[in-house]
Amino acid sequence: MSRRGAPPVGRGPRERGREDDVVRTPLRVAVLDKRGRFLVGEPFFDRGRGLPVERDHRAHVGDLVLLRPSARGRGAAKVVRTIGRPDNARDVIEALMLDRGLARRFDPAVDREAKAMRDAGGAERPRRDLRDLPTFTIDPVTAKDFDDAISAERLDPRTVRVWVHIADVSAFVRPGTLVDREAHKRATSVYVPGAVEPMLPEPLSNDACSLRPHQDRHAVTVEMDFAGPEVRRAAFYRSEIRSDERLDYDRVDRIFAGDERAQESWANPLQAAREVARALAERRAQQGALAVESVEPEFAFDRHGHVTRAERSVQTESHRLIEHLMIAANEQVATLLEQRSVPALYRVHEQPDPTRVEQLAAQLASLGVATPPLPETMSPRQAADAVAEMSRLVDEHVRRTGHGRRGLTTLVLRALKQASYSPRNIGHAGLRLARYCHFTSPIRRYPDLVCHRALLSAVGGGEDAPRADRLETLGEWTSARERDAMAIERNADDVAHAFLLEREVFERGYEAVYDGEVVSVIGAGAFVVFGEDDYEGLVPVRRLRGDWWELNEEGTILHGERSGATIRLGDPIRVRVERVDAPRGRVDLLPADSVVED
C-alpha cells in the first residue's frame, strides 16, 4: 500500500480539529446495548441519544454495528451490518471508515464490469514493445498494487536514459463506464492500518493494472534523457513492459549500503537511476525546495485483528530515488500539456501569504531557531524563498539539537497554503516548479487518470482530451476528497496507536514513565509524542497544578504566570499515561516529574 508522491504540503503531520471536514454518512456506527426487553444502539464515535434498534439475529449486545436510522426519526433503526467488537482494533478502524462515509465494497455491477475489463485485456492501441528492456519496481514490502516501474541505461559518459513506466489504467477504464463513474466518486484510495479503500476494484487495482513481475503489462511510458539533472529530451507513448524484479525499499537500501548484491540483469540500470536521482536531489536543494521529512507509521496486526507493533517508515535513499524520478516524470508531462494547451488537471501549490511567513519567523525565533532576514515588504515569491530557507534552518537546528523535528516541521507546513488540483496552472511553490501534475499513480488517484487521458490525446495515443468545462468542478471535488482521505488516515493511525498503547500500559502498568517531546501547544495543554512507538497524547494544563498557564502570542510556549516556568514546543518531557480511549484514538497524559523550565 503505497502513498507515493511528492511530500504533502500545507498541513502538519497531526494537525488537530479537521475531522469535521470529512463527509459524513447518514448511516450510524453504534454499540448495541439492552434496555429492558429492547435493543438500543449507543453512538460510538459521536455523542448523542441512543437509537431504538430492530432485533436482528446477526447482531448481539456489545456488537459494533452499522445502523440505518428510520425515516424522519420514527420507528426503530435497522442493522445494516455487524462490524465486530469495540475492543478490536481492526474492527474499530473498519467502523471508522464506515462512519466517515467510505463504501468498503463495490456495487456488484461495478465489480462485474471491472472483471470484464480485465478479461478483455484493455483497449487495443499501438504500443512500443519494451518487454526486453530491464525493468523493476520499488515499493513498500507490503504493497499489492504496483503502478510504476523504472528502467535506466547509460548512453554515454554524460547521458543517462530513464524510462518511467506507469500502469495504463486508461486502456481499461473508459470514460463514462460504471467503473469510471465509481472511480470519479471515490477520487482517491484511502490507506489505513491494515486496510485500504481502493479507488478501483481489485480485478484492476491488484491485477490487470498492477505491474507485477514477470507478466506482460500495458503501460504509459515517459522516456527522459538526463545530462546530470537536466532533461535534454522527453518522449511519451503507450508501451508493453515486463517487470524483471519486484524490489522493496529495504532491499534497495541494503544494496546501496553494500550489504546485498544486485542481480546482474538490473544492477547497472539501478545504479544509473541512482545517479540521476542524486543529481535531481542536488538541484532541488539548490533551487530552494522545501526541506521537509515526513515519518509515516506502519502497523502490524495478528490474525485476530489486534495491533502487535508499530514501525516508523522513514524516508531513505531508496524512497528518494523513486520520489525524484516520479517528480521528474510529472513535471515533463505537465510541461507538454501546457505547451500544447490540452485541458488537464495540474497539481498546484500557491505561494505562501507573506503575513503568514512573518508569523512563522516569529514562531521559530521564539523557540531559538535561526531565521533569515525578511524584507519589509515581501512578495509572494520572496515569501516562498523565505519558507524554503526556514525549512533548511529548521532541519539544521534539529540535527544539531537532536529534538524538535515533528513540532517545528508542523509549524513550517502550517505556514503554507495547501496543494490542490486545478485546470489553471499556477506552479508548485513547495517543489519550486513552474509546471507540475499528478500522473504517476492512476490506480489510486483520479486526477492521474485524467492526466493520462490528456497526455495520450496530445501524443496520438488514441484518447479524447478531458472536457475543459468540467475540470474546474473536478479539481474542487478531487481536492476535497483528498483532504477527507488524509483526515481519515490520521484518525485511523491514532486509533491503531491508542490500541497498541493500551496493550503496553496493561503490561507495564500506569506508573510506567515515558520519554517524550512536545509537538504542539494550545491553550488547553501540550500535545506530546512519547515512547519508542511514537504514541501521542495531551498533557492538560488543568493537571499542572499550582500555576496558571497562558499561551504566548506566537502559539509556541505555555508560560506559568506564578512560577515563570515554560513548556515549549520541541521540549523533551517525561510523562505517564492517565487514560487511553483506544476506540477514539485519544490519550490523556500526566507529567512524570517537573516538566518545565525556569
Side-chain angles (χ1 to χ4, degrees):
M1 294 185 292
S2 172
R3 301 185 209 181
R4 176 179 298 154
V9 290
R11 182 177 298 175
R14 280 288 181 273
E15 184 170 340
R16 298 288 175 167
R18 300 295 297 186
E19 288 82 354
D20 290 342
D21 291 346
V22 178
V23 176
R24 294 284 188 163
T25 173
L27 304 178
R28 292 288 179 267
V29 173
V31 175
L32 290 184
D33 195 6
K34 195 171 184 182
R35 303 275 180 83
R37 295 183 297 112
F38 303 100
L39 281 180
V40 175
E42 298 291 350
F44 189 65
F45 292 109
D46 303 314
R47 295 178 181 176
R49 296 171 56 188
L51 296 173
V53 178
E54 289 185 7
R55 290 194 175 275
D56 189 302
H57 70 278
R58 299 166 299 177
H60 305 89
V61 171
D63 280 349
L64 194 57
V65 296
L66 185 66
L67 300 178
R68 186 184 304 280
S70 60
R72 299 179 182 178
R74 298 173 184 172
K78 294 184 178 180
V79 175
V80 176
R81 177 181 167 189
T82 300
I83 303 168
R85 303 295 293 184
D87 59 354
N88 182 282
R90 182 172 289 153
D91 292 343
V92 171
I93 290 172
E94 181 73 13
L96 174 70
M97 298 173 80
L98 290 165
D99 183 71
R100 298 299 191 264
L102 302 186
R104 300 306 296 130
R105 61 191 62 169
F106 287 92
D107 185 277
V110 175
D111 264 329
R112 286 194 298 271
E113 187 178 83
K115 291 175 183 176
M117 291 172 171
R118 176 197 61 192
D119 296 342
E124 288 297 327
R125 295 285 188 267
R127 295 183 181 277
R128 192 172 301 186
D129 190 344
L130 301 180
R131 287 175 291 180
D132 290 335
L133 185 66
T135 300
F136 51 86
T137 60
I138 306 177
D139 290 276
V141 68
T142 56
K144 295 181 180 179
D145 50 29
F146 312 117
D147 49 16
D148 57 79
I150 298 296
S151 303
E153 178 184 28
R154 179 168 294 284
L155 301 181
D156 59 52
R158 297 190 58 190
T159 309
V160 173
R161 179 168 294 170
V162 173
W163 294 262
V164 174
H165 314 287
I166 306 300
D168 190 358
V169 175
S170 62
F172 294 88
V173 181
R174 313 304 300 161
T177 58
L178 290 177
V179 172
D180 180 60
R181 292 202 294 269
E182 182 65 21
H184 170 276
K185 178 182 175 183
R186 296 183 178 217
T188 183
S189 296
V190 183
Y191 296 90
V192 301
V196 60
E197 173 86 346
M199 184 182 79
L200 296 175
E202 187 171 346
L204 297 177
S205 62
N206 289 354
D207 190 356
C209 295
S210 185
L211 306 182
R212 293 177 172 179
H214 314 302
Q215 297 187 21
D216 294 351
R217 285 293 185 261
H218 295 337
V220 179
T221 293
V222 181
E223 180 182 313
M224 297 169 284
D225 288 354
F226 286 92
E230 301 297 328
V231 178
R232 296 296 175 84
R233 184 191 69 88
F236 314 86
Y237 48 83
R238 279 185 143 136
S239 60
E240 192 80 5
I241 71 164
R242 184 187 295 129
S243 174
D244 299 286
E245 193 74 16
R246 181 263 199 266
L247 300 174
D248 61 72
Y249 292 129
D250 292 342
R251 184 180 178 190
V252 173
D253 284 326
R254 290 195 300 272
I255 292 170
F256 288 166
D259 297 329
E260 182 176 330
R261 292 188 63 181
Q263 293 182 15
E264 185 177 351
S265 60
W266 45 265
N268 288 336
L270 178 61
Q271 181 60 30
R274 184 186 191 187
E275 291 176 16
V276 170
R278 282 179 168 176
L280 290 169
E282 290 174 4
R283 184 182 68 172
R284 184 173 165 188
Q286 292 169 359
Q287 291 177 334
L290 287 173
V292 174
E293 290 187 11
S294 60
V295 178
E296 296 286 347
E298 294 183 356
F299 298 92
F301 293 77
D302 64 20
R303 62 188 180 89
H304 302 293
H306 301 297
V307 186
T308 57
R309 71 177 186 275
E311 295 180 357
R312 302 180 185 92
S313 176
V314 181
Q315 272 214 334
T316 62
E317 185 181 0
S318 62
H319 293 79
R320 290 189 289 271
L321 181 150
I322 292 298
E323 177 187 310
H324 289 303
L325 295 181
M326 295 303 115
I327 290 174
N330 286 333
E331 182 185 11
Q332 292 304 312
V333 171
T335 299
L336 181 77
L337 294 175
E338 185 182 59
Q339 288 174 345
R340 301 196 181 180
S341 300
V342 180
L345 283 179
Y346 294 92
R347 181 64 168 177
V348 299
H349 184 218
E350 294 183 63
Q351 306 279 10
D353 185 335
T355 302
R356 186 64 190 86
V357 174
E358 291 172 354
Q359 183 182 358
L360 172 62
Q363 289 176 315
L364 294 177
S366 73
L367 297 170
V369 180
T371 59
L374 301 179
E376 290 187 13
T377 302
M378 195 168 15
S379 68
R381 177 56 190 247
Q382 289 173 316
D385 291 340
V387 172
E389 178 63 12
M390 281 187 258
S391 72
R392 187 185 65 79
L393 292 170
V394 162
D395 186 63
E396 290 179 358
H397 175 86
V398 170
R399 293 179 188 278
R400 184 176 65 256
T401 62
H403 58 83
R405 181 171 298 282
R406 285 186 59 164
L408 295 174
T409 297
T410 297
L411 289 182
V412 172
L413 292 175
R414 286 178 178 170
L416 303 172
K417 295 184 179 180
Q418 194 163 0
S420 61
Y421 298 106
S422 172
R424 293 184 300 278
N425 177 38
I426 59 172
H428 196 291
L431 295 175
R432 309 308 293 272
L433 296 176
R435 291 162 294 275
Y436 193 66
C437 68
H438 275 169
F439 167 81
T440 51
S441 293
I443 290 177
R444 66 181 183 91
R445 291 188 305 227
Y446 197 77
D448 299 56
L449 178 55
V450 172
C451 283
H452 272 241
R453 292 167 176 164
L455 173 70
L456 292 168
S457 76
V459 299
E463 300 294 332
D464 294 328
R467 285 184 50 175
D469 60 341
R470 295 181 176 178
L471 290 178
E472 186 75 35
T473 300
L474 182 59
E476 294 172 356
W477 169 249
T478 53
S479 298
R481 293 301 297 152
E482 177 187 48
R483 292 192 294 270
D484 292 346
M486 290 170 64
I488 294 167
E489 290 167 356
R490 285 196 302 271
N491 295 160
D493 287 348
D494 289 343
V495 169
H497 261 134
F499 269 102
L500 188 62
L501 176 62
E502 187 177 57
R503 174 176 176 171
E504 184 171 328
V505 168
F506 175 79
E507 294 172 352
R508 295 185 58 187
Y510 278 90
E511 297 306 311
V513 175
Y514 296 85
D515 291 324
E517 185 175 291
V518 177
V519 294
S520 179
V521 290
I522 58 176
F527 286 103
V528 175
V529 168
F530 63 98
E532 294 183 359
D533 291 317
D534 286 348
Y535 304 120
E536 185 171 344
L538 176 69
V539 178
V541 293
R542 58 182 169 78
R543 301 309 303 268
L544 303 176
R545 303 186 185 281
D547 213 334
W548 180 263
W549 297 86
E550 288 284 349
L551 187 65
N552 70 336
E553 184 178 349
E554 293 79 16
T556 56
I557 303 173
L558 284 165
H559 289 278
E561 285 194 353
R562 297 175 184 170
S563 65
T566 59
I567 302 175
R568 300 154 48 93
L569 188 150
D571 278 354
I573 186 173
R574 286 159 50 86
V575 295
R576 290 187 292 109
V577 176
E578 180 183 30
R579 186 176 72 96
V580 181
D581 186 355
R584 292 159 191 83
R586 298 168 188 164
V587 178
D588 288 338
L589 303 173
L590 294 171
D593 44 34
S594 177
V595 300
V596 298
E597 297 179 357
D598 293 327

